[in-house]
Amino acid sequence: MYHFLESTGPTGSGMGSMLIMLVLMFAIMYFLMIRPENKKKKEAEQMRNAVKVGDEITTIGGIIGVVCSVKDDKIVIETSADRVRVELAKWAISSNDSATREAKAKAEKKAADKKRALEEKKAAKGKR
C-alpha cells in the first residue's frame, strides 16, 4: 500500500543525478547572472575608453559636463558656462551623452531611409 515509503537501498544513480543537477544549476546561474554582468562591465569599459575631447558626459554622481582633456585614467570636464573645470577618474563616467545622441540620430536616419525606400517601391508598383 505505501510502497513509496519503503527504501530500496542506496543506489549509485542518485548521487550522479544530484551532481548533474548541481552542475546544471551553476550553469544556469552563470548564463543568467554572471555573464550579463561581465558583458555590461565590458561595454562600460569600452565606452569609458572611447571618450574624447568635446563629448558631453554624465558622471555617476550626476555631474554633466563637456570633456576638456583625456588622460590615461583621468579626465577633465567643464561643467558650466562659468568654465568650472573638474578632474575626475574615468571610472566615474556613467554615460557618454554625445555618443548616445549620435547613435540615436543614426538609427533615426536609417529608419527614415528605409521608410523612403518602401514608399518609392510602392510608388513604382503603382505606376505599373
Side-chain angles (χ1 to χ4, degrees), residues 7-82:
S7 80
T8 57
T11 60
S13 66
M15 195 62 135
S17 65
M18 185 183 289
L19 183 63
I20 290 171
M21 290 300 288
L22 190 63
V23 169
L24 186 63
M25 187 173 68
F26 280 118
I28 291 171
M29 261 183 47
Y30 173 77
F31 283 108
L32 292 179
M33 296 174 66
I34 298 169
R35 189 168 179 247
E37 187 66 29
N38 287 342
K39 191 174 181 182
K40 278 184 183 179
K41 284 180 184 178
K42 188 175 181 181
E43 288 173 357
E45 188 65 31
Q46 287 176 345
M47 180 268 303
R48 289 179 181 120
N49 289 333
V51 169
K52 60 188 182 302
V53 175
D55 283 350
E56 185 174 313
I57 64 161
T58 302
T59 68
I60 58 175
I63 299 171
I64 299 172
V66 178
V67 177
C68 297
S69 169
V70 179
K71 300 174 188 167
D72 288 336
D73 60 343
K74 297 190 187 238
I75 60 167
V76 176
I77 64 171
E78 196 170 276
T79 59
S80 66
D82 295 339

